[in-house]
Amino acid sequence: MSDTELSRILYIEDDSDIQAVIGMALQEIGGFTLEICSSGAEAIERSEAFRPQLILIDVMMPGMDGPTTLGHLRQMPATASTPAIFMTAKVQPAEVARYREIGAIDVIAKPCDPMTLSDRIRSIWVRCRG
Amino acid sequence: MLHVRLRDVLSEWGAAAAILAVGVTIAGLAARQAENVEHKRIESILDARAEWLRVSVFAHTDGMTVPVEAVGHFMSTQSFVHLDEFDAFAKGARHLGSTPIAALSWVPRVTERDWPTVEAMAVAMGLRDFRITRETRPGLPADSEGRREYFPVLHEALLRNRESWRGRDLATDAEIWSAAERARDLAAAIATVPTDADSDSFHVVWPVYSRAPPDTLEERRKELRGFTLGQFRYADVMRWIFGEFPSRDQIVHIFVHPGTGPALLVGSVDVDGATGALASSLELLGAQPELGKFIKPFEVLGLNWSMVVIFPGFAINQLHASTPLTWLVLGIVLTMVVAAYLWHQRRQTILVRAMAADLRLTVDQLVRTDSELRAIIDASPVPLLTIDDRAQIRRWNAAAETTFGWAAREVIGRHNPAIPPDRMAEIASISARLKSGDIVRDLETVRIRRDGTPFDASVSAGPIFADDGAYSGSVVMIADITERKQVERMKSEFVSTVSHELRTPLTSIAGSLSLVLGGVAGNLPERVQQLLGIAKKNCDRLVRLINDILDIEKIESGKMTFDMRPLGLVPLVRQAIEDNRAYAEGYSVEFELTTDGRELQVNGDSDRLTQVITNLLSNAVKFSPKGEQVTVAVRTRGERARIEVIDRGPGIPEEFRSRIFGKFAQADARDSRQKGGTGLGLSICKAIVEKHSGSIGFETTSGQGSRFYFELPLLAHSAVKSEMYAAGAATLLVCEDDPDVAVVVAGMLRAGGYNVDQAVDAETARAAITTRPYAALVLDLRLPGRDGLTLIRELRAAPVTRSLPIVVLSVRADEERNRSQGEDLGIVEWLSKPPSSEQLLATVSRAISRVRRRPRVLHVEDDSMMLQTAASALREHADVTPARSLAEARTALERESFDLAILDIGMPDGSGLELIPLLKDARGGLLPVILFSGRLGDAMPEGGPNNVSLRLSKTESGWVRALVRTVKGLGDQPPAARP
């Protein structure tokens, strides 16, 4: 597992349809290895084992929301410093700034074009590491 | 105007008058009393004098009779006295007491029987004609047998203007006989009482007995031998008593009281001397008692006399002490002083009372006004309070009581208790703004109620200044905006939620369609592709619609934030064109960009402006016929940048033109569906452009096309700097392409008190420099286009900007500096990026101060060509004042100060060297001097004064260069080193 290229993405999204679409886009087009979780709790359970290189989280989730989930993940060694990207339909500027404050490197607005999503994520990741 | 009441004024005068009257009365009474006392004193003195006079008169008169008595005694011892004897004795006796006796006579008692004998004796003595007058009538003296007794004057002596009375029977003289009888009976000297008013003398009768004065009356009558008679003139007596000298100190009148009848004045003494005159001057005697008049009675020679002494006025005055007058004057003066003081006091009281009345009126007015104000304030439904200059509450209206929960009396005098502790910094900031005269409008914050619950509040406040301009407090309105905020939050949340809820399914729809159409799920039959394409297109439209609705909502609620930075329009437009090229190609439309070649800088949010440009571009593309061009023009129009998007489509229909920037305004539904617009685009564009202080518009011709444009203020002229230019502050130009660095540097410089213009590249900077004078240029070397160093060289090449102070910001400042060493780059300071605020400000200040002013040079030279040559050579570096003679030079030196003097030694009115002592700077030191001479060596002082910078010869080639170099070198020194 080379760490210089992005391959493992932890994807947390509660909406199954969006899961399907984005999941397909990232896997089929981007070729990433995805661990898809439907809730923050699941993500916490499975992140340790998966050891993601990038975390893609939906902000609005029932139960534990995106930011809270990220906060928990940050407490765990495997994901303490993993770059994270939020996905959200609510993109108010104040919120974007807040997401950055709590540790996201970028925010992707929904709806997004699944065809170009993988490239976007990859370039974000590269930029972050560079 | 004071309301001084008439009553008060009258009472004031009345009081003064009363006091004066009382005082004067008392003074008068005191004076009168003193006067009385004085009178008594004077009277007693004068009385004593009068008494003394009386005693003197008495003594004198008593002694008057001495010679009469003496002769009487003599005659009583002699039985017979010859005439001559009598005469001699009488003369001798006269000198006894030196009395003013006029005549002295011996009058024997002669009986009827003795009568012939006495006559014969007299004849025998020589008195041949001596005959005793005879008279008989009742009352004449007779002996016990009834026979007549005679009293003839036998001897006479000391006659003084009087006929002789020899022989005359004095018994026949009633006056004398009356006195004689009394004298005989009383055995005493008795004076006669004058009965005749014309008589000027009186007699004193002395009884002579045959032996020592008998004791009984019978014996006296029997033993009588005769009388001695002395005659005295009143005048002589008066003179004798009171002296020959006139009396100045008093007037004396002597009166005699006859037994019957009024008193007779016998003599007076006054300033004319003593007079003896018989007169009836009753008035003198019987007059009212007056000061200085004394009546002294005395008894002498058997008669009652009165002496009236009148002391004249001046004698009295001499005695008169000034005490009563003094008392009076003192009293009056004192009274007046007291009266004046009391009057003054009264007046003050009246004034004070009037002022108090005025004050009461004013206070009443104030209270009324205050009540009105209070009513207004209390009626306000918004919590309203006023604070004083120490932020303590003065007023707290009813609405405040209700909203916050504190009653007015609980908070007045205290600081506002509704401020949460974590908002103190905000309070400090508000306070500072108010004190500087700013009004705070609708500041959204949090306040707490009495029970501690916080609530959203909107604070508006305005300062109050006193007449003298001092801050005296503020009026504050605190509105509870919980509801409003709640509504806002709800709306925001609603919109946010709605948009989220709408977007979420759309994500799936659009995403799936995208993937399918992208071939991820395998190849698609054409029809399927077509249908899915339609679905995707409309899905995208929905997404755009939702975005636009959100934007509109943000704009209308004021929630859209702009990230304003300086940016170049042309690159922005280019990028937008690039981004939309693919879209345009889908419509077979091409873009064409035209610019006027200038860099146009504006202040704006690049994303939002891109949104506007994109919207216009997409509209133009949508409505362009296939194969046509959409022209995009970027140019300046006055002080604004103008971006135009021109299409050759059908144009905008007439009925639509007025609504084009409205919401959901599209020509018709069919069109919009086909074109894929949302109907909100232009209204969003309008809002964005207007938020950039710009304007948007269009021109259209039906059938030919439309030209949509928007204009934005150019950066150099825009007042988008929210801080206005500080008057008097120097303006700097910051040329920096990295917006983040630019913002920081600009901020530091502004905080340091400079005005800052910004340029993003060298061209803009160059253009800006030509339009206005900057105090300094802060420059990044690494710039897009022309790099910083080139710019510096260009600037130095132009005379106007040769001495523009430049501060270079560079990541590797030292390297750059070293590389450019040896080049004359003028005043350049090098600073490493990123600079601290202190470093930056210090460097800028240093750069500026190096070129504070051009040196002032006095050129003393009589050769015009020399002057001209030097002047043109030095024009760029210094201000030259010519002086064609020493006199001119002296005048110039008096008028202004110089930094340097160029002296020609050979001048028409002397040697230039003479001026050297006059060439002083502000501190008294000597100025640097350049000596010029046509003849170097002679007349040039060897060793010279030590302020001579240069000696030049006019014949030396290159003197111009040397001159310029010296002057320039002077100019380049910091002012501190320059004298």
Side-chain angles (χ1 to χ4, degrees), chain B residues 290-565:
Chain B
E290 45 189 80
L291 184 65
K293 182 168 162 201
F294 297 89
I295 302 175
K296 295 282 176 190
F298 58 97
E299 198 196 314
V300 76
L301 302 175
L303 292 177
N304 288 316
W305 309 75
S306 289
M307 182 178 77
V308 174
V309 184
I310 300 173
F311 291 95
F314 63 83
I316 298 173
N317 290 343
Q318 273 179 348
L319 296 171
H320 212 303
S322 58
T323 314
L325 196 63
T326 310
W327 273 106
L328 188 66
V329 168
L330 248 163
I332 289 175
V333 166
L334 201 67
T335 307
M336 286 176 75
V337 166
V338 168
Y341 174 74
L342 287 174
W343 174 82
H344 175 77
Q345 288 298 88
R346 183 123 191 85
R347 170 144 271 259
Q348 295 294 84
T349 310
I350 289 168
L351 279 173
V352 166
R353 206 179 286 148
M355 280 168 68
D358 266 0
L359 202 64
R360 257 199 301 283
L361 276 173
T362 311
V363 167
D364 282 343
Q365 259 172 355
L366 279 173
V367 168
R368 260 201 304 279
T369 312
D370 192 66
S371 307
E372 276 174 27
L373 280 172
R374 199 170 309 148
I376 293 169
I377 290 170
D378 270 344
S380 163
V382 177
L384 205 144
L385 52 123
T386 59
I387 53 172
D388 65 15
D389 59 324
R390 283 171 307 164
Q392 289 172 340
I393 292 175
R394 279 207 294 250
R395 268 196 225 280
W396 183 267
N397 76 342
E401 287 184 340
T402 323
T403 303
F404 293 108
W406 283 281
R409 64 170 188 283
E410 295 177 292
V411 297
I412 285 178
R414 297 171 44 196
H415 292 280
N416 188 353
I419 300 171
D422 60 343
R423 294 273 167 174
M424 285 310 168
E426 173 191 286
I427 296 301
S429 151
I430 294 175
S431 181
R433 282 173 64 184
L434 288 171
K435 282 180 181 158
S436 68
D438 273 350
I439 294 179
V440 176
R441 282 200 187 89
D442 202 17
L443 177 77
E444 289 190 7
T445 176
V446 176
R447 292 286 179 263
I448 51 177
R449 298 189 214 277
R450 190 189 193 143
D451 59 6
T453 54
F455 65 96
D456 293 304
S458 163
V459 174
S460 298
I464 303 168
F465 292 97
D467 285 340
D468 59 357
Y471 172 75
S472 68
S474 294
V475 179
V476 184
M477 286 199 299
I478 305 178
D480 184 343
I481 55 169
T482 314
E483 266 187 51
R484 174 171 114 194
K485 279 242 130 337
Q486 222 164 342
V487 167
E488 274 176 19
R489 253 179 248 130
M490 274 171 53
K491 197 166 87 155
S492 192
E493 282 225 26
F494 176 73
V495 168
S496 198
T497 309
V498 162
S499 69
H500 176 266
E501 292 305 314
L502 288 173
R503 281 188 174 129
T504 304
L506 273 173
T507 309
S508 302
I509 298 171
S512 306
L513 288 168
S514 252
L515 286 175
V516 168
L517 285 166
V520 174
N523 281 332
L524 295 169
E526 205 177 303
R527 298 257 311 251
V528 172
Q529 206 158 2
Q530 188 194 8
L531 289 168
L532 290 177
I534 291 167
K536 173 81 167 52
K537 197 175 71 179
N538 284 278
C539 197
D540 288 344
R541 197 175 138 215
L542 260 181
V543 170
R544 280 199 301 278
L545 189 61
I546 292 169
N547 287 341
D548 281 353
I549 290 173
L550 266 184
D551 276 352
I552 284 285
E553 192 279 333
K554 268 187 249 171
I555 288 171
E556 291 197 341
S557 71
K559 283 293 186 303
M560 183 176 277
T561 54
F562 295 89
D563 186 15
M564 301 294 242
R565 289 163 184 238

Side-chain angles (χ1 to χ4, degrees), chain B residues 11 128 163 204 217 331 356 403 644 696 793 812:
Chain B
S11 80
R128 264 193 296 274
E163 65 198 3
V204 174
L217 183 65
T403 303
E644 292 179 342
I696 192 167
R793 289 195 192 104
R812 288 177 272 268

